[in-house]
């Protein structure tokens, strides 16, 4: 692809990026609504509207630190061109569709990071990587579910102690109401962290084509487009993954659902303010496992949890391989 793109090609690439963002919302809708659906606090069709609204307004709460990291902190912006962006998006989209079809809650975030790494290295070798930013993202694979796990487990202990003199009915009723707040916070965190990844992709594409001047920035229309695309994807649901996240890992009560969502939301808020592109899937899975393990270790279906972990491990290399193959396929086509 030429260094200077025509308007139709540039618009087409932005459309592909927004398609990824839509699929991200579709794929990761389960992260926002699995707990509130599995505890029967909200019906699925109402839960997706609830999640989509808070996904959309997230840009009003958070800065754009994650977009900055994705745009300049994973691969060298000097390496980025239309071909690299196209390869990265195809790598991420293909992996998302495969895992969505299988009902596996893998990470759209790490699929995109893997796609960027695969496309960038196919073009320029290992020197394309910004190792400081990439190592931070890889470290988050371990830390985000662990933090979500620990926070959710601590919240279960605190809430159980505070509720010791209340009747089970009163506790259940109170946390059915509180889950509206915790689900809202989690959806806000999801929209704040995940939509920024596509913002970073579109912004670095515009920057590479000279449309942003000499300094990297994220135009407001890109912010609104990405938030809207993610919200629309969330509205479409992702029921296969909702079933895995909300029903198959462990059985949740409204109190446990509240603790899982609150622990996950706190993790996402911290990561987003620090500019770390974490996986919302990893975070909420760790939190759900944490509330299950707080009850008893056997309450967690560890075979399901372990299969999810395997998907986490292979997401970056799998999407990187698809992206690299896509880059080479385009390169051969253009010769």
């Amino acid at each position: 692809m030429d260094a200077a793109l025509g308007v139709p090609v540039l618009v087409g690439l932005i459309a592909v990026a927004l398609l990824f963002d839509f699929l991200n919302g579709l794929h990761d809708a389960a992260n926002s609504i699995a707990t509130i659906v599995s505890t029967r606090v909200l019906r699925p069709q109402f839960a997706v509207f609830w999640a989509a609204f808070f996904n959309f307004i997230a840009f009003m709460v958070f800065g754009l630190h994650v977009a900055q990291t994705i745009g300049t902190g994973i691969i060298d912006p000097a390496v980025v061109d239309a071909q690299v962006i196209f390869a990265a998006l195809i790598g991420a989209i293909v992996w998302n569709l495969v895992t969505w079809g299988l009902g596996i809650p893998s990470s759209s975030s790490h699929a995109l990071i893997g796609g960027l790494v695969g496309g960038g290295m196919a073009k320029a070798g290992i020197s394309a990587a910004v190792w400081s930013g990439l190592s931070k993202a890889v470290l988050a694979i371990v830390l985000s579910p662990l933090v979500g796990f620990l926070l959710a487990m601590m919240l279960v202990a605190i809430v159980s102690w505070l509720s010791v003199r209340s009747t089970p009915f009163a506790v259940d009723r109170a946390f059915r109401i509180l889950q509206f707040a915790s689900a809202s916070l989690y959806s806000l965190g999801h929209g704040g962290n995940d939509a920024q990844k596509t913002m970073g992709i579109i912004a670095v594409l515009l920057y590479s084509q000279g449309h942003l001047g000499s300094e990297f920035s994220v135009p407001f229309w890109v912010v609104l487009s990405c938030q809207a695309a993610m919200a629309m994807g969330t509205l479409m649901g992702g029921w296969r993954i909702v079933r895995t996240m909300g029903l198959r890992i462990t059985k949740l009560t409204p109190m446990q659902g509240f603790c899982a969502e609150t622990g996950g939301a706190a993790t996402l808020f911290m990561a987003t303010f620090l500019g770390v592109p974490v996986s919302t899937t990893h975070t909420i899975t760790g939190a759900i496992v944490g509330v299950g393990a707080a009850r008893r270790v056997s309450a967690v279906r560890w075979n399901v949890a372990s299969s999810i972990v395997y998907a986490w491990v292979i997401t970056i290399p799998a999407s990187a391989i698809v992206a690299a193959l896509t880059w080479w396929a385009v390169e051969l086509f253009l010769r």
Side-chain angles (χ1 to χ4, degrees):
M1 295 185 183
D2 295 334
L5 298 177
V7 172
V9 177
L10 183 61
V11 170
L13 282 170
I14 292 172
V16 174
L18 292 175
L19 172 63
F20 168 78
D21 206 28
F22 173 85
L23 291 173
N24 191 344
L26 176 72
H27 190 275
D28 289 0
N31 301 344
S32 300
I33 67 173
T35 50
I36 203 168
V37 169
S38 67
T39 56
R40 294 176 174 81
V41 171
L42 270 182
R43 292 182 178 179
Q45 57 267 42
F46 297 128
V48 290
F49 276 100
W50 187 269
F53 172 74
F54 286 98
N55 271 187
F56 179 72
I57 66 169
F59 74 93
M60 300 179 184
V61 178
F62 301 101
L64 299 176
H65 307 301
V66 175
Q68 186 82 24
T69 298
I70 290 291
T72 61
I74 302 299
I75 59 172
D76 186 349
V79 172
V80 174
D81 60 13
Q83 191 170 328
V84 169
I85 294 295
F86 179 74
L89 290 169
I90 294 300
I93 287 170
V94 167
W95 185 247
N96 271 358
L97 289 174
V98 168
T99 52
W100 174 75
L102 295 174
I104 300 170
S106 67
S107 168
S108 298
S109 307
H110 292 126
L112 183 60
I113 290 170
L116 277 170
V117 171
M121 288 189 176
K123 177 183 178 182
I126 61 172
S127 62
V130 177
W131 292 106
S132 57
L134 185 57
S135 60
K136 185 166 63 174
V138 171
L139 183 62
I141 293 177
V142 177
L143 290 183
S144 61
L146 180 60
V147 173
F149 176 92
L150 293 174
L151 286 177
M153 184 176 278
M154 287 170 54
L155 282 167
V156 170
I158 293 168
V159 167
S160 298
W161 179 74
L162 292 174
S163 307
V164 70
R165 295 186 179 180
S166 302
T167 64
F169 176 78
V171 171
D172 187 78
R173 183 175 61 182
F175 281 100
R176 281 181 176 275
I177 297 170
L178 287 171
Q179 255 205 286
F180 284 99
S182 60
S184 302
L185 289 172
Y186 191 84
S187 295
L188 202 63
H190 172 243
N193 201 283
D194 269 17
Q196 286 195 45
K197 292 150 192 171
T198 309
M199 294 177 203
I201 287 288
I202 295 175
V204 76
L205 175 63
L206 294 171
Y207 178 73
S208 72
Q209 297 301 307
H211 294 290
L212 298 181
S214 58
E215 292 188 11
F216 179 87
S217 61
V218 183
F220 187 61
W221 68 265
V222 173
V223 174
L224 286 181
S225 299
C226 291
Q227 297 288 173
M230 174 161 286
M232 288 299 295
T234 301
L235 281 176
M236 298 298 291
W239 310 119
R240 291 171 182 261
I241 299 173
V242 169
R243 182 171 178 271
T244 300
M245 297 287 287
L247 301 175
R248 290 182 60 199
I249 295 176
T250 189
K251 185 177 179 181
L252 296 174
T253 64
M255 183 269 280
Q256 292 170 324
F258 168 83
C259 292
E261 288 163 345
T262 304
T267 306
L268 292 180
F269 274 53
M270 287 188 289
T272 304
F273 282 122
L274 292 172
V276 181
V278 300
S279 166
T280 56
T281 308
H282 294 191
T283 303
I284 195 62
T285 302
I288 290 173
V289 171
V291 297
R295 185 167 73 243
R296 65 181 187 278
V297 174
S298 62
V300 178
R301 296 184 179 93
W302 294 102
N303 60 326
V304 176
S306 62
S307 67
I308 293 170
V309 172
Y310 296 147
W312 294 353
V313 172
I314 65 173
T315 290
I316 288 182
S319 54
I321 290 168
V322 175
L325 291 174
T326 302
W327 189 91
W328 283 110
V330 172
E331 184 72 9
L332 288 173
F333 176 76
L334 294 175
R335 285 179 179 176

